[in-house]
């Protein structure tokens, strides 16, 4: 019972490089979310997908793009990484538009140098 | 806009009760949540409460909700060293029904033996 799987777990990028963070869930959830976690700032929503085929901006979308590939997968892309994007990234999914809470992945620790 | 505030740190002795407090601003929130994050891990849903409830008890956990003051608390009875973690309060974005959750900054609970 995998739940929400994120890859990679750790990544170091040079400024200007691009990469895609992968997220997949096996719980048949409709909604998926990408958050970033920074010390003392809690979690901030980057993008979300309320249902398959839709994506919307969250609180801090600049510098990111997303793709809801199918119901299971929701990827986050950094086109040109900047040091300000050094963070821990969490993917989450929910059954019913967030009601009853989210299931989170274990996170991707990204360092941009 | 929506905002969720928590104190950043709480230290208790093993066996004591812990009370973690949270205030929120969105009066249309339908659900309020408590999540636990252990070092290096993702967030784990501990419990949630509907906005039309005042209290919810689940084993050692008691959630109290004061809608008038927009105040939520989590009480952990007989706190154990394994309860040491960061605790996040979150509210659902009730008016939009997109499933977005707004998180507080997190309260680090330190349990001393």
């Amino acid at each position: 019972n995998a739940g929400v799987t994120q890859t990679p777990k750790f990544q170091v990028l040079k400024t200007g490089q691009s990469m895609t963070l992968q997220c997949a869930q096996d719980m048949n959830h409709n909604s998926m979310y990408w958050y970033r976690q920074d010390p003392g700032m809690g979690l901030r929503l980057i993008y979300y997908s309320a249902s398959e085929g839709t994506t919307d901006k969250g609180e801090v979308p600049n510098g990111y793009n997303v793709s809801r590939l199918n119901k299971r997968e929701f990827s986050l892309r950094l086109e040109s990484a900047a040091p300000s994007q050094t963070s821990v990234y969490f993917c989450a999914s929910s059954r019913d538009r967030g009601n009853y809470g989210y299931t989170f992945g274990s996170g991707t620790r990204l360092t941009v140098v | 806009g929506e905002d969720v505030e928590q104190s950043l740190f709480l230290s208790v002795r093993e066996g004591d009760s812990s009370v973690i407090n949270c205030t929120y601003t969105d009066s249309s929130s339908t659900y309020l949540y408590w999540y636990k994050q252990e070092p290096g891990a993702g967030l784990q849903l501990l419990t949630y409460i509907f906005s039309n409830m005042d209290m919810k008890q689940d084993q050692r956990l008691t959630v109290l909700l004061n809608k008038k003051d927009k105040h939520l608390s989590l009480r952990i009875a007989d706190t154990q060293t394994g309860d040491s973690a960061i605790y996040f309060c979150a509210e659902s974005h009730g008016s939009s029904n997109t499933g977005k959750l707004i998180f507080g900054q997190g309260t680090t609970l330190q349990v001393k033996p």
Side-chain angles (χ1 to χ4, degrees):
Chain A
N1 201 7
V4 177
T5 302
Q6 290 185 239
T7 55
K9 292 192 184 304
F10 300 94
Q11 184 72 47
V12 179
L13 288 179
K14 293 182 179 178
T15 298
Q17 286 185 318
S18 62
M19 80 161 294
T20 300
L21 281 64
Q22 307 286 353
C23 175
Q25 53 90 9
D26 62 0
M27 297 169 287
N28 201 35
H29 284 175
N30 290 314
S31 304
M32 299 185 73
Y33 311 84
W34 277 105
Y35 283 85
R36 60 178 288 174
Q37 182 180 25
D38 301 294
M41 300 189 73
L43 280 78
R44 293 181 292 169
L45 182 64
I46 305 170
Y47 270 93
Y48 66 100
S49 171
S51 60
E52 187 180 358
T54 69
T55 61
D56 286 286
K57 295 178 180 179
E59 185 185 356
V60 288
N62 291 345
Y64 305 95
N65 283 300
V66 290
S67 296
R68 183 74 183 267
L69 304 169
N70 47 55
K71 191 171 185 179
R72 289 186 65 246
E73 298 172 286
F74 188 39
S75 62
L76 179 71
R77 182 159 178 85
L78 286 71
E79 291 291 351
S80 179
S84 61
Q85 294 178 304
T86 293
S87 188
V88 181
Y89 291 85
F90 287 102
C91 177
S93 69
S94 69
R95 183 180 70 190
D96 180 23
R97 295 182 183 269
N99 294 341
Y100 311 111
Y102 294 171
T103 301
F104 278 86
S106 56
T108 295
R109 280 166 172 69
L110 175 66
T111 302
V112 183
V113 298
Chain B
E2 306 87 17
D3 197 16
V4 179
E5 297 284 339
Q6 298 177 241
S7 54
L8 295 182
F9 186 78
L10 176 66
S11 181
V12 301
R13 293 240 172 250
E14 191 174 19
D16 288 349
S17 292
S18 307
V19 179
I20 302 171
N21 295 301
C22 170
T23 57
Y24 61 97
T25 58
D26 187 357
S27 58
S28 65
S29 293
T30 50
Y31 298 83
L32 295 123
Y33 306 86
W34 284 104
Y35 284 84
K36 177 183 180 182
Q37 184 182 33
E38 295 180 352
L43 278 71
Q44 172 194 359
L45 178 65
L46 281 180
T47 187
Y48 63 90
I49 188 168
F50 296 120
S51 57
N52 62 357
M53 297 170 64
D54 298 324
M55 185 181 84
K56 181 178 181 181
Q57 190 151 2
D58 184 1
Q59 300 182 330
R60 292 190 298 122
L61 304 179
T62 303
V63 178
L64 295 177
L65 175 60
N66 182 328
K67 278 199 76 173
K68 176 176 169 289
D69 294 338
K70 298 190 183 71
H71 183 265
L72 183 73
S73 67
L74 174 69
R75 178 176 180 269
I76 305 173
D78 187 25
T79 312
Q80 303 297 307
T81 54
D83 295 324
S84 293
I86 303 176
Y87 291 81
F88 290 93
C89 167
E91 63 168 352
S92 61
H93 195 316
S95 58
S96 70
N97 195 29
T98 59
K100 292 192 294 182
L101 296 189
I102 308 298
F103 287 85
Q105 311 97 306
T107 300
T108 298
L109 175 63
Q110 179 189 67
V111 183
K112 297 179 181 177

